[in-house]
Amino acid sequence: MRLLTLLIVVCSLAWASLSHAADGPGVATVRKANDAVSELIKKEAPAGSAEEKRLAEEINTKLKGFLDIDELGQRALRDHWGKLTAPQKKQFLELLRQLVEANYVKALRGNRQYEVRYVKEEPEGADIRVYTELTLKKPDRTDTISVDYVLRKDKDSWRAFDLVTDGVGLVENYRAQFNKIMAKEGFDGLVARMKKKQTGA
């Protein structure tokens, strides 16, 4: 499963140099998450050190309020969610969250330079979609990709449950992969694959 896709998109927040625009509630939410994480990413820590672990935990804490992994996971497993037991749902969401959070540590070792331009935000029913353009500067070229954040209202705040990169959404991508695995290997097979990914096997 391409669980690193989420890592790359989310952590693009951390290395971004932002262009400023008038903020609606959606842009303001994404920008706030960006600012909180970028300050932590600027701090350097030796790979595998206790300090790196502490920084990763701080990043995870900051992003938990922004990125709704539970909502993302439920939507991605929508076709099977109602058939799962409460313990199975809990196990799946915990594994998904652990995979994403563990990969933040790897992102700390990166040295990417991004610039983000906020294009606009638009309502999608009760949700909000924030359109951005992400420019990645490499030694030999410059790449630009579109990254959209789809947010829903959660009590008094907005949280992102889907990220769409160049037209491909995480929810849609994960759903296709999860459905394929579930059809052949069932829930136990999906869990086994996630655990294997977690150990790097």
Side-chain angles (χ1 to χ4, degrees):
M1 295 178 294
R2 296 170 56 193
L3 290 169
L4 280 178
T5 304
L6 180 58
L7 164 72
I8 293 169
V9 174
V10 171
C11 287
S12 71
L13 290 171
W15 291 296
S17 173
L18 300 179
S19 59
H20 293 281
D23 290 359
V27 170
T29 298
V30 176
R31 193 188 300 279
K32 181 179 179 181
N34 185 313
D35 291 345
V37 176
S38 63
E39 289 303 313
L40 294 173
I41 289 294
K42 291 176 183 177
K43 301 177 181 180
E44 296 184 1
S49 67
E51 183 181 359
E52 183 189 55
K53 182 178 179 181
R54 180 185 60 79
L55 284 174
E57 290 174 351
E58 287 188 54
I59 291 171
N60 294 338
T61 298
K62 295 291 184 183
L63 286 175
K64 279 178 181 177
F66 168 68
L67 189 63
D68 193 340
I69 298 294
D70 286 0
E71 184 71 14
L72 187 157
Q74 290 180 46
R75 290 181 183 238
L77 210 59
R78 179 190 63 192
D79 298 338
H80 307 277
W81 192 254
K83 302 174 185 177
L84 300 181
T85 65
Q88 286 176 324
K89 292 176 181 177
K90 181 178 179 182
Q91 182 182 28
F92 167 75
L93 293 176
E94 286 181 350
L95 278 172
L96 183 61
R97 186 178 298 105
Q98 289 167 11
L99 281 168
V100 172
E101 292 179 356
N103 280 320
Y104 292 158
V105 176
K106 296 179 183 179
L108 288 174
R109 301 171 184 169
N111 188 28
R112 303 179 179 91
Q113 293 296 322
Y114 291 93
E115 291 182 355
V116 174
R117 183 171 76 90
Y118 292 107
V119 180
K120 61 181 178 178
E121 68 175 64
E122 291 183 342
E124 288 192 352
D127 302 327
I128 292 178
R129 181 183 289 249
V130 177
Y131 297 82
T132 75
E133 288 183 351
L134 188 73
T135 300
L136 170 59
K137 296 182 178 180
K138 299 179 179 180
D140 57 339
R141 69 180 190 275
T142 298
D143 296 330
T144 300
I145 61 174
S146 64
V147 180
D148 303 343
Y149 302 84
V150 187
L151 299 90
R152 70 180 185 94
K153 194 70 175 291
D154 183 11
K155 297 180 181 179
D156 295 328
S157 61
W158 291 90
R159 303 182 71 197
F161 66 86
D162 197 11
L163 294 94
V164 183
T165 306
D166 282 344
V168 180
L170 284 177
V171 170
E172 178 184 359
N173 188 6
Y174 284 6
R175 183 180 297 137
Q177 295 179 56
F178 292 162
N179 282 348
K180 184 176 181 179
I181 295 170
M182 290 283 287
K184 293 183 177 180
E185 305 172 33
F187 179 77
D188 290 342
L190 176 61
V191 167
R193 282 176 176 258
M194 294 176 77
K195 288 183 176 179
K196 185 176 181 181
K197 190 74 175 180
Q198 192 176 41
T199 60

